[in-house]
């Protein structure tokens, strides 16, 4: 077609109707340039004389030069290689046949279970549900984790950030919720995490039962920034499909910070000006787009858990600060709590569910407020208690808080694999609150 000497595999790609119009690779300097008449968002295949085609996306152009970014590691590229335009926009497989599967950002299987078949393709880029058509959050979303269901009750369609430093238990908590929740479908995006963590997460944390109602999209940290960004968008498109079917979807992304970092790499490649901590403007746009596409629509809803890595516990770091403003609630995990062997290491006093009062009755809210008061009273005098400077009898409130604390801690602590029904959590919460007379 182009008069190029290509091996049979590449020639067959050229012959498929999707591939039209071609050009040649001009330069590879961070961005790749190619004299191809392609639009921003188009996909192209760079065809080496031997080996697999390298897929790339057009992210800009100047005169007749298109700027391309590869999806996979671009090795062995040479000037003058053939580049073919594949068509507009990324499509991902969707549908029930995808349940139990692990795919990459381009919808290719990663689980060795054979090709993805009978999964209708859908464009990745779709608009967020219109603001006025979104159903309000009215029903509780039961996570099975007592500390969350009692003190930070979530709602169906809520978007919750899980904020913590590294190794404090974000991924474990996500897995617990994905397993224990009553969502019809879990869509799990593992973005920019370490490759060695993927299999343990799927096999041990999620387990066969969790996997059977989950679709997992993986882009590990060594993959190109474009792949990491597109994988999270593909995951949202898949969740969006299930929501469109009227299902209650649980969407999990681990981690949103790594998505922001990938978008920063792309933005810097494109020449965007770096602002706070080197994050470029498109990073914040990407985060807003991601969060806004989740939540409730006119039918169905996507409840979302998004992990945010906070370096050194700095909640005012730009990504943490921005995401906290976007989501409908944040759960803060604290290293000091984890160091005491207290899991899940949720710092209830610094965490908020903004929809809690909409999804539980007044009695429940009142009980949760009482329990917060017990914790706050205890925290105020904790230093005195530790050095033995608090004299019992000085304050009836403090005495009561000290008395109730072991029971409360037992209630908030939870082992991996242990699930609590909403009724059990409610009973436990009311029992503790009833013992607080103030
Ligand atoms: N609920 C739990 N019960 C017991 N141990 C836990 C629990 N949650 C986390 N841990 C311990 O903390 C370690 C780190 O947990 P996890 O991988 O979930 O953290 P993370 O915040 O996702 O880390 P990273 O930032 O590295 O991704 C685990 O290997 C485990 O030892
Ligand atoms: Mg993790």
């Amino acid at each position: 077609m182009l008069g190029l000497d290509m091996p049979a595999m590449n020639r067959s790609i050229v012959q498929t109707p999707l591939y039209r119009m071609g050009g040649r690779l001009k330069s590879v300097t961070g961005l790749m340039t190619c004299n191809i008449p392609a639009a921003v968002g188009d996909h192209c295949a760079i065809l080496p004389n031997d080996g697999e085609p390298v897929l790339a996306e057009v992210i800009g152009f100047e005169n007749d030069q298109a700027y391309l970014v590869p999806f996979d590691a671009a090795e062995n590229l040479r000037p003058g290689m053939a580049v073919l335009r594949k068509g507009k926009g990324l499509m991902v497989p969707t549908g029930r046949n995808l349940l139990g599967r692990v795919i990459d950002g381009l919808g290719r299987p990663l689980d060795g279970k054979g090709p993805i078949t009978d999964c209708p393709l859908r464009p990745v880029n779709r608009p967020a549900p219109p603001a006025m058509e979104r159903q309000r959050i009215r029903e509780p979303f039961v996570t099975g984790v007592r500390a969350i269901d009692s003190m930070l009750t979530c709602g169906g369609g809520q978007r919750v950030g899980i904020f913590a430093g590294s190794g404090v238990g974000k991924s474990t908590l996500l897995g617990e919720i994905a397993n224990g929740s009553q969502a019809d479908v879990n869509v799990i995006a593992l973005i920019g995490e370490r490759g060695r963590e993927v299999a343990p997460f799927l096999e041990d944390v999620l387990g066969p039962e969790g996997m059977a109602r989950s679709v997992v999209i993986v882009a590990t940290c060594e993959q190109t920034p474009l792949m990491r960004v597109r994988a999270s968008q593909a995951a949202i498109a898949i969740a969006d499909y299930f929501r469109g079917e009227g299902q209650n979807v649980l969407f999990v992304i681990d981690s949103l910070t790594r998505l922001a970092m990938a978008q920063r790499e792309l933005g810097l490649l494109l020449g965007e000006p770096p602002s706070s901590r080197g994050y470029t403007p498109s990073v914040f746009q990407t985060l807003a787009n991601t969060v806004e596409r989740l939540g409730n629509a006119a039918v169905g809803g996507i409840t979302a858990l998004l992990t945010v890595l906070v370096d050194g516990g700095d909640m005012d770091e730009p990504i943490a600060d921005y995401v906290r403003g976007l989501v409908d609630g944040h759960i803060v995990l604290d290293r000091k709590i984890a160091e005491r062997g207290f899991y899940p290491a949720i710092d209830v006093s610094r965490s908020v569910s903004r929809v809690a009062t909409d999804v539980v009755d007044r009695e429940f809210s009142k009980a949760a407020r009482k329990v917060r008061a017990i914790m706050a009273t205890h925290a105020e005098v904790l230093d005195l208690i530790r050095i033995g400077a608090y004299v019992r009898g000085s304050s009836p409130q403090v005495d009561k808080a000290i008395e109730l604390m072991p029971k409360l801690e037992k209630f908030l602590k939870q082992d991996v694999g242990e699930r609590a029904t909403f009724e059990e959590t409610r009973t436990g919460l009311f029992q503790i609150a009833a013992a607080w007379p103030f």
Side-chain angles (χ1 to χ4, degrees):
M1 170 175 156
L2 291 170
L4 302 166
D5 184 24
M6 278 176 284
M9 182 188 66
N10 288 351
R11 219 171 283 131
S12 71
I13 291 171
V14 177
Q15 282 156 5
T16 63
L18 275 176
Y19 286 85
R20 296 181 201 101
M21 306 238 256
R24 285 183 184 277
L25 198 61
K26 291 287 177 191
S27 70
V28 181
T29 54
L31 287 175
M32 300 190 282
T33 61
C34 166
N35 60 342
I36 193 168
V40 174
D42 277 358
H43 284 175
C44 295
I46 303 160
L47 305 176
N49 288 344
D50 43 12
E52 293 277 324
V54 175
L55 273 180
E57 186 175 307
V58 177
I59 59 166
F61 60 84
E62 196 169 356
N63 301 323
D64 59 350
Q65 298 287 318
Y67 295 130
L68 301 170
V69 179
F71 278 102
D72 291 318
E75 285 161 359
N76 304 324
L77 296 182
R78 282 197 304 279
M81 276 181 175
V83 180
L84 296 171
R85 194 164 81 83
K86 192 186 169 197
K88 182 106 194 113
L90 194 57
M91 307 280 276
V92 279
T94 54
R96 294 208 74 78
N97 288 339
L98 214 49
L99 292 177
R101 300 301 306 257
V102 185
I103 56 173
D104 74 0
L106 295 172
R108 301 177 294 199
L110 293 175
D111 50 11
K113 290 187 188 165
I116 306 280
T117 48
D118 293 331
C119 293
L121 290 175
R122 221 165 178 244
V124 163
N125 287 322
R126 291 174 56 84
M132 295 309 291
E133 285 178 20
R134 284 179 183 267
Q135 292 167 63
R136 288 196 53 187
I137 298 173
R138 299 241 184 249
E139 293 298 320
F141 177 84
V142 181
T143 62
V145 177
R146 281 190 297 271
I148 299 178
D149 290 342
S150 61
M151 305 303 297
L152 305 160
T153 320
C154 297
Q158 185 178 8
R159 295 146 316 169
V160 184
I162 298 180
F163 293 72
S166 58
V168 185
K170 295 182 295 298
S171 306
T172 311
L173 182 62
L174 281 186
E176 286 295 288
I177 298 175
N179 250 335
S181 86
Q182 276 124 36
D184 301 321
V185 175
N186 297 322
V187 176
I188 299 172
L190 302 178
I191 306 297
E193 296 292 304
R194 289 146 295 205
R196 70 168 166 75
E197 281 192 330
V198 174
F201 182 83
L202 303 184
E203 287 162 16
D204 305 340
V205 182
L206 213 51
E209 242 175 73
M211 248 338 264
R213 56 190 178 104
S214 302
V215 181
V216 182
I217 298 92
V218 179
T220 44
C221 52
E222 86 291 354
Q223 293 191 300
T224 60
L226 182 66
M227 193 63 132
R228 283 175 271 150
V229 172
R230 295 294 177 257
S232 46
Q233 292 171 336
I236 294 176
I238 292 168
D240 186 281
Y241 165 85
F242 286 112
R243 174 175 60 189
E245 299 280 292
Q247 310 255 13
N248 287 319
V249 183
L250 174 65
F251 177 83
V252 163
I253 182 166
D254 194 9
S255 80
L256 198 60
T257 306
R258 306 261 185 234
L259 165 64
M261 288 175 176
Q263 183 60 41
R264 171 171 65 183
E265 282 179 55
L266 275 186
L268 290 173
L269 262 183
L270 263 174
E272 283 184 39
S275 55
S276 56
R277 292 219 191 163
Y279 287 106
T280 61
S282 65
V283 171
F284 300 98
Q285 186 64 50
T286 302
L287 291 174
N289 287 348
T290 303
V291 173
E292 274 307 293
R293 285 195 54 196
L294 306 167
N296 282 338
V299 287
I302 304 176
T303 309
L305 298 170
L306 319 123
T307 66
V308 179
L309 187 70
V310 282
D311 284 337
D314 176 12
M315 290 288 287
D316 296 326
E317 172 273 342
I319 297 302
D321 189 44
Y322 188 71
V323 173
R324 207 174 41 206
L326 284 175
V327 292
D328 318 302
H330 52 272
I331 296 174
V332 179
L333 305 185
D334 190 293
R335 190 179 300 282
K336 286 206 186 79
I337 299 177
E339 279 166 0
R340 283 169 49 210
F342 193 112
Y343 288 104
I346 301 172
D347 184 343
V348 174
S349 64
R350 286 161 67 209
S351 307
V352 176
S353 167
R354 294 187 194 167
V355 306
T357 49
D358 296 334
V359 295
V360 294
D361 54 46
R362 286 171 67 180
E363 287 299 301
F364 196 109
S365 295
K366 204 170 147 197
R369 270 202 309 278
K370 280 192 170 195
V371 171
R372 271 184 191 265
I374 300 172
M375 293 166 106
T377 309
H378 189 259
E380 263 174 36
V381 289
L382 190 59
D383 288 343
L384 292 181
I385 298 169
R386 281 206 181 119
I387 58 168
Y390 177 74
V391 183
R392 275 194 186 248
S394 316
S395 152
Q397 252 160 314
V398 173
D399 287 348
K400 196 71 189 169
I402 294 173
E403 181 197 323
L404 290 176
M405 217 46 203
K407 201 174 174 196
L408 177 53
E409 291 204 336
K410 192 164 169 243
F411 174 71
L412 296 175
K413 250 186 186 179
Q414 201 164 331
D415 286 336
V416 172
E418 186 192 340
R419 315 246 177 280
T421 64
F422 200 46
E423 269 319 301
E424 286 163 1
T425 299
R426 187 185 176 99
T427 309
L429 175 74
F430 278 50
Q431 269 174 8
I432 296 166
W436 180 250
F438 304 100

